[in-house]
Amino acid sequence: MPGRLDPKPIPRRDFLGLAGLWSAAIAIVGSVAGMAQLPKPRVLPEAAGTVKVGPATAYPAGTVKVFTDHRIRVIATDQGVAAMSLICTHLGCVVAEGPDGFHCPCHGSRFDAQGRVLGGPAPRALHWLPISRAADGSLLVDTKGDVPPGTFYEV
Amino acid sequence: MTTKTSGLGLFWQNVVSLPSSLRESFARRSAPTSDRARSQSIFANIFLHIHSTRVHPHALRLSYTWGLGVASAALFFILTVTGVLLMIYYKPSTELAYQSIKDLHYVVPTGRFIRNIHRWAAQLMVITVLLHMARVFYTGSYKKPREFNWVIGLGLFVLTLALSFTGYLLPWDQLAYWAITIGANIAASPTELTDAIGITHWFNIGAFQKELLLGASEVGEDALIRFYVLHVMILPILLAIGMSAHIWRVRKDGGLSRPGRHTTAAGKGVGASQPVPQTPSSSPTKTYGLMCVVKGKTPATDQNLDETVPSWPYLLRAELLVLMVFTFFSLVLAYFFDAPLKELANPSVPENPAKAPWYFLGLQEMVSYSAFIGGVVVPAVAMIGLALIPYLDREREQVGVWFSGAVGRVVAWRSLVFGAIAAVAMVAIPVNFGWLRNWFPGIPQLWIILINPGTILTALYVLWSVYELKRSGSTRMAAIALFTCFLVGFAILTTVGTVFRGPNWDFYWWPSQWPTH
Ligand code: FES
């Protein structure tokens, strides 16, 4: 009697047929998996997030500069220079500056002057961005970075 | 000599009969003169054979179907034709897209008209698909054996919305740019939750989804190409395949649902619930029952064959009528109203208010409480709930009757009132009194995400449906209650988003009260 220890031999044709089916299945799954990788680029096709905002001397205490193209706002106090992103943390609209802070045109999020959420759906405060100094002495803002609110770069 | 002339003569004969032989080879049969021949034509023609050869008059009743399914298909046809025409001029690049739309508008002969038709047909299609869904639901047509076709239908609904949305980016104007920015960030919004519970670092599904959609971290050239490919290739092909399956199944499940008739395995197809036995020798032609292709009663089957009518001409004529009516609508709208085109996309200043297309404004209202709950969770729950309806309501009575009879009509009315009050309250409370963050400024973000008007509204609707279930003891009534609630909720939120939301998403009674700035 054929059993587990002494299995009935698989007929050669069945074996070849099954082997063919399985290799076809593996080939299909494999190629689909390969193709599925295509839409996810390994490197994102965009410029680095650092923005030159001019020499430190251009930022005496009390300066406020808005860079609309980069959607950032750079301020200087006697603590130093700080940069804040103007992109709403809700769904990415650009906030507008009002007398009492910032408000977002898209779903009504409101932020105070430090970027903290006052109302609306925004889940977190506006991002503060790290500042560093380039070799030529001008200040660099990293728009992809993130530092705790209230972080100033001392010049 | 003689052979030559007869050869020439033969050739001449063939030349003379060229028109008729061309026609024969093309149509393969002469114009049908009897019902039987018409049925044969439907059966043998690749374009017509998706119809059954005979249909029940119930399926032709305007007050039953309102022609909505056919209308959606007809609009898809119009959209395909106009869309292909637009592709001749449209250039999917951030530099040229806006200009090419302007060219279409001002320079290309009939360009403006074609674009307008495309636009209006798309809007009409969203409406007809929605209404078609409501019709199918309220007539109980999702019931066995059509459960899965309801699920396919839901897929088609999602594809319709996806097609509208991907088309929205292509003009590359302000409207497009900011709608897609918001849409992509909704895809990224699970981050809101993973942030709140602090696992984004390990598991950032939100960012992954957004990147897949945009091919970058911001809306730009790559996003435009992706949306273009989706809009002109992937989604239309999926829609066409889904539509074929959808229609094919309607036919295989015995045509449109109608009252007093549970389809049995033997009763698929037309007319007879008992197929007429036929031996091969007695059926020289296709065996869809010769009895079915003549008029009048027949003693052979003890079935009133007048119960069905030939698809040609009745069904084909009705379909053609629907196509003409909706072509006419699109033409009229396109003639009088231009499709909007705002200024060129400007990534540094959004529109104020930045509004999505109208059928998404209900969603935008929800999103303005919480991006993740309103934009992902509630829609997903609603979709899953809708898909499960035929499996959770398996009562067999009253298929094909509006609202399943008088009781259902009452339930629908009651749910309509309840759903409307709940939706209005959920908008009015935050507008007038603010919400959690205004009451408890220090509250953890997780609470704000989880407990927002959108969640509460959904919960209220589910509770109401459970209440109706207890009250009536009928799953069908519970389904009617839930569906009605969601429908009014959608309608009210959409109206609020469209009419009552102004700059900064503030509430205004009328756009004329918007502050000028
Ligand atoms: S994007 Fe700012 S509130 Fe929605």
Side-chain angles (χ1 to χ4, degrees):
Chain A
M1 276 302 282
R4 190 161 55 83
L5 295 178
D6 181 20
K8 209 167 80 186
I10 303 177
R12 190 176 58 97
R13 277 161 185 273
D14 286 3
F15 174 76
L16 289 179
L18 280 177
L21 270 183
W22 276 107
S23 40
I26 291 168
I28 291 171
V29 171
S31 45
V32 168
M35 281 190 280
Q37 293 185 356
L38 178 117
K40 172 104 175 63
R42 228 171 254 140
V43 177
L44 292 183
E46 52 212 354
T50 39
V51 178
K52 263 191 190 174
V53 293
T57 48
Y59 291 93
T63 321
V64 176
K65 279 193 186 174
V66 175
F67 295 81
T68 22
D69 281 359
H70 303 291
R71 296 171 277 193
I72 54 176
R73 181 173 180 272
V74 184
I75 55 166
T77 65
D78 32 4
Q79 295 175 65
V81 186
M84 194 172 77
S85 161
L86 293 178
I87 298 177
C88 178
T89 53
H90 180 227
L91 291 174
C93 286
V94 177
V95 296
E97 200 168 349
D100 50 348
F102 303 89
H103 49 85
C104 180
C106 295
H107 315 92
S109 285
R110 303 196 148 273
F111 306 88
D112 68 9
Q114 267 65 54
R116 286 184 296 250
V117 186
L118 290 180
R124 53 159 291 172
L126 294 175
H127 289 268
W128 284 52
L129 307 170
I131 295 186
S132 55
R133 202 190 283 261
D136 64 0
S138 58
L139 295 178
L140 288 177
V141 175
D142 179 6
T143 56
K144 301 261 161 67
D146 191 6
V147 290
T151 311
F152 284 85
Y153 177 79
E154 285 174 38
V155 262
Chain B
M1 255 340 202
T2 36
T3 40
K4 221 176 192 177
T5 36
S6 75
L8 263 182
L10 218 54
F11 176 71
W12 183 243
Q13 264 179 20
N14 290 351
V15 171
V16 170
S17 59
L18 198 54
S20 67
S21 39
L22 270 178
R23 205 202 67 239
E24 258 167 49
S25 71
F26 164 72
R28 292 196 300 163
R29 59 184 74 235
S30 44
T33 48
S34 66
D35 281 353
R36 181 171 184 281
R38 291 191 188 103
S39 305
Q40 290 275 18
S41 307
I42 286 193
F43 195 87
N45 184 296
I46 184 172
F47 302 109
L48 294 180
H49 93 288
I50 202 152
H51 304 86
S52 55
T53 53
R54 297 180 67 87
V55 290
H56 194 278
H58 188 74
L60 296 172
R61 259 173 43 204
L62 183 64
S63 62
Y64 186 67
T65 66
W66 296 106
L68 290 165
V70 174
S72 312
L75 287 164
F76 180 61
F77 176 71
I78 297 172
L79 284 163
T80 311
V81 173
T82 49
V84 168
L85 289 173
L86 292 175
M87 281 174 73
I88 295 176
Y89 284 98
Y90 179 74
K91 303 175 189 71
S93 99
T94 49
E95 308 264 290
L96 303 172
Y98 186 75
Q99 299 311 329
S100 63
I101 300 285
K102 279 215 150 156
D103 281 353
L104 273 166
H105 202 91
Y106 294 107
V107 184
V108 175
T110 74
R112 174 199 299 215
F113 197 42
I114 301 275
R115 174 168 176 250
N116 291 352
I117 297 172
H118 194 71
R119 157 106 183 170
W120 286 112
Q123 315 248 326
L124 286 174
M125 186 171 164
V126 172
I127 297 175
T128 54
V129 168
L130 258 172
L131 291 179
H132 175 59
M133 242 173 86
R135 191 287 282 172
V136 168
F137 178 84
Y138 283 121
T139 55
S141 306
Y142 56 77
K143 289 175 179 256
K144 203 174 175 192
R146 298 182 172 79
E147 304 104 311
F148 195 70
N149 218 13
W150 168 259
V151 177
I152 296 180
L154 273 181
L156 294 176
F157 172 60
V158 173
L159 282 174
T160 307
L161 291 183
L163 268 164
S164 295
F165 186 64
T166 48
Y168 210 67
L169 177 65
L170 304 185
W172 203 250
D173 62 350
Q174 275 288 71
L175 228 47
Y177 184 89
W178 290 102
I180 307 301
T181 303
I182 290 173
N185 280 313
I186 289 179
S189 66
T191 313
E192 211 176 88
L193 186 74
T194 49
D195 264 351
I197 53 181
I199 58 166
T200 307
H201 189 62
W202 295 285
F203 178 71
N204 195 351
I205 176 98
F208 175 73
Q209 291 187 146
K210 181 177 172 181
E211 201 181 308
L212 216 54
L213 207 56
L214 298 185
S217 53
E218 266 163 41
V219 179
E221 190 71 58
D222 295 86
L224 181 54
I225 294 277
R226 277 171 195 229
F227 275 65
Y228 182 66
V229 171
L230 281 172
H231 187 74
V232 305
M233 288 291 287
I234 300 178
L235 296 176
I237 289 174
L238 288 180
L239 192 74
I241 294 175
M243 229 163 71
S244 319
H246 194 63
I247 299 171
W248 181 248
R249 286 183 88 116
V250 169
R251 194 187 145 181
K252 287 291 153 182
D253 292 337
L256 292 192
S257 64
R258 58 177 188 272
R261 176 168 172 277
H262 301 308
T263 317
T264 58
K268 327 197 280 180
V270 289
S273 58
Q274 297 288 316
V276 187
Q278 276 178 320
T279 57
S281 62
S282 76
S283 53
T285 53
K286 205 53 208 168
T287 60
Y288 41 88
L290 280 182
M291 296 307 164
C292 281
V293 297
V294 291
K295 284 178 180 157
K297 299 189 182 202
T298 149
T301 61
D302 193 26
Q303 264 269 331
N304 183 357
L305 281 177
D306 263 351
E307 200 183 295
T308 60
V309 296
S311 295
W312 184 341
Y314 299 102
L315 180 59
L316 295 186
R317 198 190 278 160
E319 287 174 348
L320 196 61
L321 180 73
V322 173
L323 175 64
M324 294 323 286
V325 165
F326 277 87
T327 310
F328 178 73
F329 276 167
S330 320
L331 288 178
V332 170
L333 285 169
Y335 186 78
F336 287 107
F337 305 101
D338 275 348
L341 186 65
K342 300 275 179 141
E343 300 103 76
L344 181 63
N346 178 357
S348 38
V349 186
E351 290 261 288
N352 191 2
K355 287 195 181 186
W358 62 265
Y359 38 86
F360 282 128
L361 285 182
L363 209 61
Q364 191 166 351
E365 178 69 28
M366 298 269 275
V367 156
S368 67
Y369 306 123
S370 155
F372 179 58
I373 299 288
V376 178
V377 175
V378 172
V381 167
M383 276 300 144
I384 293 171
L386 280 174
L388 288 181
I389 280 182
Y391 302 96
L392 299 180
D393 163 34
R394 301 190 70 86
E395 285 163 25
R396 298 297 303 280
E397 310 85 44
Q398 301 294 8
V399 172
V401 178
W402 279 95
F403 300 98
S404 298
V407 185
R409 207 160 284 150
V410 174
V411 171
W413 273 115
R414 210 161 42 210
S415 310
L416 187 116
V417 173
F418 173 82
I421 292 174
V424 169
M426 277 305 130
V427 175
I429 292 172
V431 164
N432 289 310
F433 306 108
W435 197 253
L436 293 183
R437 189 163 354 239
N438 308 84
W439 305 333
F440 316 105
I443 192 168
Q445 183 59 30
L446 198 56
W447 292 116
I448 300 207
I449 294 176
L450 294 180
I451 305 178
N452 69 67
T455 344
I456 294 184
L457 190 61
T458 313
L460 281 178
Y461 285 170
V462 172
L463 285 178
W464 174 259
S465 160
V466 172
Y467 162 76
E468 286 287 359
L469 179 61
K470 277 187 88 175
R471 178 177 170 144
S472 63
S474 152
T475 47
R476 169 74 177 146
M477 293 304 135
I480 290 184
L482 192 61
F483 189 81
T484 312
C485 278
F486 269 109
L487 219 54
V488 270
F490 176 78
I492 287 180
L493 292 186
T494 305
T495 315
V496 170
T498 311
V499 183
F500 300 119
R501 291 298 187 177
N504 297 340
W505 208 245
D506 284 337
F507 188 90
Y508 292 93
W509 280 109
W510 212 247
S512 56
Q513 300 173 350
W514 290 5
T516 44
H517 54 115

